[in-house]
């Protein structure tokens, strides 16, 4: 389903198709909320790729699969991302595997360097804040959520405390101000609201 060059870093043998990627994800994750988080991250990464003239399929797969090893690595946070990249060797290009490792830079030491590295980390983090904001409304859906309300909650450090604000702000490394970044992420998530139960 993808027409990527087969020779990125001389290591890619083919890119996994979306159906296989989702099957692989479901085989490895039991927690439905985690699967939804991955679907939300996929949608955000697709939208960001479209915005930047990158490959939406490939960026989407990177988002979809970034937490593939989350349950497998469990409490051993230092392995999270590294194991996923190993499992995906040959199924995604090296730069995408690197982004998957680096989204957990804080625990595994793989530094975020590329725009993709920063956007995967910022993108997966913003999904958590957006979900938390949606749950504030009586409807508990994304429908009434506006970029402004997300930006406001971003500044309330006691709200959704586990969402790392500094990581979200890495969107600036890719040239986005917070409002624009939130707008794109929110739009992407609203596009798959039914699938993620919101
Ligand atoms: Fe994640």
């Amino acid at each position: 389903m993808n027409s990527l060059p087969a020779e990125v870093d001389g290591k890619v043998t083919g890119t996994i198709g979306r159906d296989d990627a989702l099957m692989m994800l479901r085989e490895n994750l039991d927690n439905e909320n985690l699967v939804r988080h991955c679907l939300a991250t996929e949608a955000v990464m697709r939208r960001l790729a479209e915005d930047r003239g990158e490959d939406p399929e490939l960026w989407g797969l990177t988002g979809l699969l970034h937490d593939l090893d989350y349950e497998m690595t469990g409490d051993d946070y230092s392995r999270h991302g590294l194991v996923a990249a190993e499992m995906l060797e040959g199924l995604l290009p090296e730069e995408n595997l690197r982004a998957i490792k680096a989204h957990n830079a804080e625990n595994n030491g793989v530094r975020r360097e590329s725009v993709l590295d920063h956007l995967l980390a910022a993108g997966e983090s913003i999904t958590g804040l957006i979900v938390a904001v949606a749950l504030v409304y009586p409807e508990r859906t994304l429908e009434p959520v506006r970029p402004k309300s997300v930006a406001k909650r971003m500044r309330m450090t006691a709200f959704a405390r586990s969402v790392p604000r500094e990581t979200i702000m890495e969107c600036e490394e890719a040239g986005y101000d917070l409002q624009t970044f939130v707008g794109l992420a929110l739009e992407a998530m609203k596009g798959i609201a039914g699938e993620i139960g919101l």
Side-chain angles (χ1 to χ4, degrees):
M1 69 179 282
N2 210 299
S3 56
L4 286 162
E7 76 282 6
V8 183
D9 280 352
K11 281 183 181 169
V12 172
T13 52
T15 300
I16 190 169
R18 206 267 179 179
D19 290 350
D20 288 340
L22 186 58
M23 201 186 300
M24 195 174 178
L25 191 72
R26 289 197 176 279
E27 274 167 13
N28 284 280
L29 299 182
D30 289 333
N31 182 333
E32 186 56 27
N33 280 336
L34 193 49
V35 172
R36 288 175 173 180
H37 162 70
C38 292
L39 290 168
T41 306
E42 175 189 33
V44 171
M45 293 307 289
R46 286 191 66 97
R47 185 68 193 90
L48 292 170
E50 285 165 12
D51 187 61
R52 310 182 64 83
E54 297 285 348
D55 183 338
E57 294 296 327
L58 191 48
W59 279 38
L61 288 168
T62 310
L64 182 67
L65 294 167
H66 80 282
D67 275 342
L68 178 65
D69 66 5
Y70 196 86
E71 291 179 4
M72 190 179 296
T73 52
D75 291 337
D76 191 357
Y77 293 128
S78 67
R79 291 175 67 232
H80 173 47
L82 305 180
V83 173
E86 253 169 54
M87 293 164 79
L88 293 165
E89 188 70 46
L91 301 174
L92 285 178
E94 276 306 310
E95 61 183 294
N96 304 81
L97 297 180
R98 196 198 144 77
I100 289 175
K101 292 186 238 180
H103 95 272
N104 189 32
E106 291 75 4
N107 297 296
N108 66 24
V110 179
R111 286 182 46 210
R112 292 196 277 278
E113 289 166 356
S114 70
V115 163
L116 176 62
D117 294 347
H118 289 296
L119 286 179
L120 178 61
E124 73 119 358
S125 302
I126 196 67
T127 66
L129 189 64
I130 291 175
V131 170
V133 174
L135 298 180
V136 165
Y137 292 86
E139 301 93 322
R140 297 173 73 82
T141 67
L142 289 169
E143 205 282 319
V145 181
R146 300 288 172 266
K148 241 185 175 167
S149 38
V150 179
K152 195 176 117 199
R153 296 277 173 177
M154 174 92 174
R155 291 189 293 273
M156 298 166 54
T157 49
F159 177 81
R161 202 185 280 279
S162 63
V163 175
R165 290 355 191 225
E166 333 75 64
T167 308
I168 292 175
M169 290 316 296
E170 287 183 42
C171 67
E172 291 181 341
E173 302 279 340
Y176 293 111
D177 58 49
L178 180 65
Q179 191 85 5
T180 306
F181 184 66
V182 166
L184 288 168
L186 187 55
E187 182 192 319
M189 287 172 67
K190 284 185 177 182
I192 57 152
E195 277 173 76
I196 55 176
L198 291 170

